Amino acid sequence: MSTSFLHVIAVVLLLEYVNQTVADEQEYRLTRYLMSNYDLAVRPSHNSSLPLRLTFDLSLHQVIDLDEKNHVLTTSCWITQKWTDYHLRWNVTDFNGIPVIRVPASQVWRPDILLFNNSADTEKPPDHVNTNVIVKYTGEVVWFSRALLRSSCQIDIKYFPFDVQYCTMRFASGTYDGLQVELMKEKDHTELRDYQENGEFDLNGFSATSTTLQYSCCEEPYPELVYTLELRRRPLYYVFNLILPCLLMNCVSLLTFCMPCESGEKVTLSICTLLTIVIFFVFVKDTLPPSQETPLISLYYVVTICLVALMTIFSVLTLHVHHRGNFENEVPRCIRSVMLGFLAKIIFSKCSSHTEQEPELKLKDDEKKSNLERQSSNEDKFDFGHIEQYNFSPRLRKRKEMGETSDYSNDEYKRQVLRILGKIYETVERNEMRIAEKARKENIKTEWHQTSLVCDRLWLALFLIVSTVMTLLVLLSSPHGP
């Protein structure tokens, strides 16, 4: 039993070897038969007056890179081309039932389909991985090829980084017109089954359209297949690395109006913030291609730079108002009524005005000056009745009583006492006037300081509103959304 089983296995292996040898010989003979009188330069059409139908299909594998500066789109694609070669037909029964063979693509006629909008980079020509063509006994030829395509793409950076780019790849025959090769798309829909996601762009759409071009030099129509890619940029990277720092610098610049004028660092903070934003803007400018249209992010940086520059100017004006009190110039009445009255209530700032105290202080100063003048001119007209109302010192009173019995006359005694009291009174009055003048200067300084404080809060509210509105208008102006 075991011996007969071994005989059967040996017979099967022998028949398999014989069939394989016959098949190899038949395939070799078939290849020799097809290539014996084959000419690569001849268009394999059944009738020379009829066009050769060519179906073309592009399967997108990956979007490798989109170079905004050079306007070049690099993609990895699978290209499928099918046509019928009437010079590559055979009878299956004549060649041991072989229906399909595979031959090198360089040995058969191939259509010269080119990427018309190929980039002008001569150092990096399109990379093709040529494979064998599949030939069926009916003459149908299928050619699969892998290509690394670099096509030119018009970049629209108006809404960068919230932009959507539309790139096209135009395929057409280099020498054959529509009367010789009829170029058709294989499917109405494009294939994205093996597509690999790109880290910078999302593929929102990939479509194919068939068009016919008519050139001025030729009367024949030229068919063309146009593949359109809709690429939406992922803005998260740019939001965190370009927009968010600028927004934070804008918020820091608003703190300039919260810093007290006595610190002496208001202008320094504004200038440092302005320089930081300018450095970021230079970095953004270097990453974008030159264009007639201003990108959205560049517009945002320019608006921010202008706002920070205006903040610096208004900070200098606020410092000028704050130190205006050192020159002993009073706050004008119109400015006092507007800034310390109306605007102070709007921005919820409590400011104490000294306008009511000024007439009383001026009246007292005038009375004291008139008293001093009267005392200096009429020093001899004082009598003891006027002296006694002050009741300054018991010693003087004692000396007065002793003066009645002394050798000095009453007139001499009165004159000396009045001279001493006049000097004391004059000294007291001058001291009071000095204190009043000092209080008046302090009031003037306080009013100017309060005016500068109202200005700071007013600028803070104004620039906060303007910065918020401008940020929303710029960043939300893109039709594709942030």
Side-chain angles (χ1 to χ4, degrees):
M1 185 68 182
S2 59
T3 304
S4 61
F5 180 71
L6 293 175
H7 288 167
V8 172
I9 293 177
V11 170
V12 171
L13 293 177
L14 180 60
L15 291 176
E16 182 69 23
Y17 174 75
V18 171
N19 291 333
Q20 185 176 2
T21 303
V22 173
D24 291 341
E25 291 179 356
Q26 294 297 330
E27 187 172 348
Y28 174 75
R29 189 168 65 88
L30 175 60
T31 304
R32 296 288 294 176
Y33 167 76
L34 295 175
M35 298 299 168
S36 59
N37 296 320
Y38 192 83
D39 192 353
L40 297 175
V42 179
R43 182 173 59 94
S45 178
H46 180 66
N47 190 344
S48 60
S49 62
L50 297 177
L52 176 66
R53 179 170 294 183
L54 171 66
T55 58
F56 186 91
D57 183 58
L58 181 70
S59 178
L60 184 62
H61 180 66
Q62 185 182 9
V63 176
I64 297 177
D65 181 43
L66 180 58
D67 190 354
E68 289 91 350
K69 277 195 170 184
N70 298 320
H71 298 267
V72 175
L73 172 67
T74 305
T75 56
S76 176
C77 306
W78 276 102
I79 298 176
T80 304
Q81 302 179 64
K82 295 181 182 180
W83 68 93
T84 300
D85 193 334
Y86 289 91
H87 300 159
L88 298 178
R89 289 182 171 184
W90 71 91
N91 191 355
V92 177
T93 58
D94 294 341
F95 297 95
N96 198 24
I98 299 177
V100 178
I101 63 171
R102 290 162 177 82
V103 295
S106 58
Q107 296 183 7
V108 299
W109 178 90
R110 291 175 298 172
D112 55 346
I113 303 299
L114 302 177
L115 179 63
F116 265 43
N117 61 333
N118 183 32
S119 64
D121 192 354
T122 56
E123 297 180 358
K124 296 181 180 180
D127 297 331
H128 288 273
V129 179
N130 291 326
T131 59
N132 294 334
V133 296
I134 302 174
V135 183
K136 295 183 180 181
Y137 71 97
T138 57
E140 181 182 357
V141 181
V142 181
W143 182 27
F144 298 100
S145 61
R146 179 76 175 269
L148 188 64
L149 304 178
R150 298 181 182 89
S151 58
S152 60
C153 178
Q154 187 65 30
I155 304 297
D156 183 12
I157 59 173
K158 181 178 180 180
Y159 299 109
F160 178 88
F162 309 110
D163 55 334
V164 175
Q165 304 297 333
Y166 295 91
C167 299
T168 59
M169 292 185 289
R170 301 170 52 240
F171 293 92
S173 175
T175 56
Y176 294 105
D177 54 46
L179 301 179
Q180 294 177 326
V181 174
E182 184 182 0
L183 183 61
M184 303 174 60
K185 58 181 179 178
E186 183 179 7
K187 304 174 184 177
D188 294 335
H189 63 280
T190 53
E191 186 66 38
L192 293 174
R193 181 176 55 186
D194 299 328
Y195 177 73
Q196 296 182 4
E197 293 289 338
N198 183 270
E200 187 177 359
F201 292 93
D202 287 328
L203 183 63
N204 287 356
F206 182 54
S207 59
T209 56
S210 179
T211 59
T212 302
L213 302 179
Q214 196 76 33
Y215 297 102
S216 59
C217 64
C218 311
E219 298 180 356
E220 297 83 3
Y222 285 85
E224 183 184 55
L225 290 179
V226 180
Y227 288 86
T228 304
L229 290 83
E230 182 181 350
L231 300 174
R232 180 186 178 92
R233 192 186 304 273
R234 296 179 177 178
L236 192 60
Y237 171 81
Y238 299 97
V239 169
F240 275 98
N241 291 277
L242 297 180
I243 297 179
L244 188 59
C246 183
L247 183 61
L248 292 177
M249 289 298 103
N250 195 2
C251 296
V252 170
S253 63
L254 292 174
L255 297 178
T256 304
F257 300 118
C258 299
M259 185 176 294
C261 296
E262 293 81 2
S263 63
E265 299 294 336
K266 293 175 70 70
V267 179
T268 303
L269 178 61
S270 298
I271 293 177
C272 290
T273 306
L274 181 62
L275 293 177
T276 305
I277 298 177
V278 169
I279 292 174
F280 270 94
F281 178 63
V282 172
F283 173 74
V284 172
K285 183 178 68 67
D286 293 339
T287 59
L288 298 178
S291 177
Q292 295 181 353
E293 296 183 351
T294 303
L296 188 65
I297 189 171
S298 299
L299 180 62
Y300 177 63
Y301 269 86
V302 170
V303 170
T304 304
I305 289 174
C306 293
L307 288 177
V308 176
L310 289 176
M311 291 178 191
T312 306
I313 295 174
F314 279 94
S315 297
V316 174
L317 294 177
T318 303
L319 289 175
H320 176 72
V321 172
H322 179 80
H323 295 288
R324 186 76 175 173
N326 296 334
F327 302 100
E328 300 181 5
N329 297 324
E330 295 183 358
V331 180
R333 188 176 299 274
C334 59
I335 297 179
R336 183 190 296 115
S337 61
V338 174
M339 299 297 293
L340 301 182
F342 177 71
L343 292 179
K345 295 179 181 178
I346 294 179
I347 61 176
F348 304 103
S349 177
K350 295 181 180 180
C351 298
S352 58
S353 178
H354 302 278
T355 55
E356 299 178 356
Q357 300 177 6
E358 287 182 357
E360 297 179 0
L361 293 176
K362 290 182 179 180
L363 182 61
K364 291 181 180 179
D365 292 342
D366 295 338
E367 291 178 355
K368 292 176 182 178
K369 289 181 180 179
S370 60
N371 291 335
L372 288 176
E373 291 176 358
R374 286 197 306 269
Q375 182 180 355
S376 59
S377 60
N378 301 323
E379 195 177 62
D380 297 335
K381 295 182 181 180
F382 284 96
D383 54 0
F384 278 104
H386 175 70
I387 297 172
E388 289 177 355
Q389 67 178 352
Y390 293 98
N391 195 15
F392 286 110
S393 175
R395 294 184 178 182
L396 293 177
R397 188 179 299 110
K398 185 177 180 180
R399 291 181 61 181
K400 176 184 175 183
E401 296 174 356
M402 293 175 61
E404 296 177 356
T405 58
S406 63
D407 298 335
Y408 297 100
S409 64
N410 292 332
D411 295 336
E412 184 69 18
Y413 176 75
K414 289 180 180 180
R415 195 178 298 113
Q416 292 180 2
V417 173
L418 289 175
R419 185 168 55 251
I420 295 173
L421 291 179
K423 291 182 179 180
I424 295 174
Y425 182 76
E426 182 180 357
T427 303
V428 173
E429 290 291 333
R430 287 179 179 176
N431 188 29
E432 291 182 357
M433 290 179 61
R434 190 181 299 110
I435 293 175
E437 182 67 18
K438 184 177 180 181
R440 188 183 69 84
K441 292 180 180 179
E442 290 295 331
N443 292 337
I444 293 176
K445 286 185 178 181
T446 302
E447 286 187 349
W448 283 111
H449 292 175
Q450 290 177 351
T451 305
S452 65
L453 180 61
V454 172
C455 290
D456 267 340
R457 294 192 178 181
L458 180 63
W459 306 147
L460 177 61
L462 178 63
F463 279 97
L464 180 61
I465 295 174
V466 172
S467 300
T468 304
V469 172
M470 293 302 297
T471 300
L472 294 178
L473 286 179
V474 172
L475 297 184
L476 298 182
S477 61
S478 173
H480 311 295

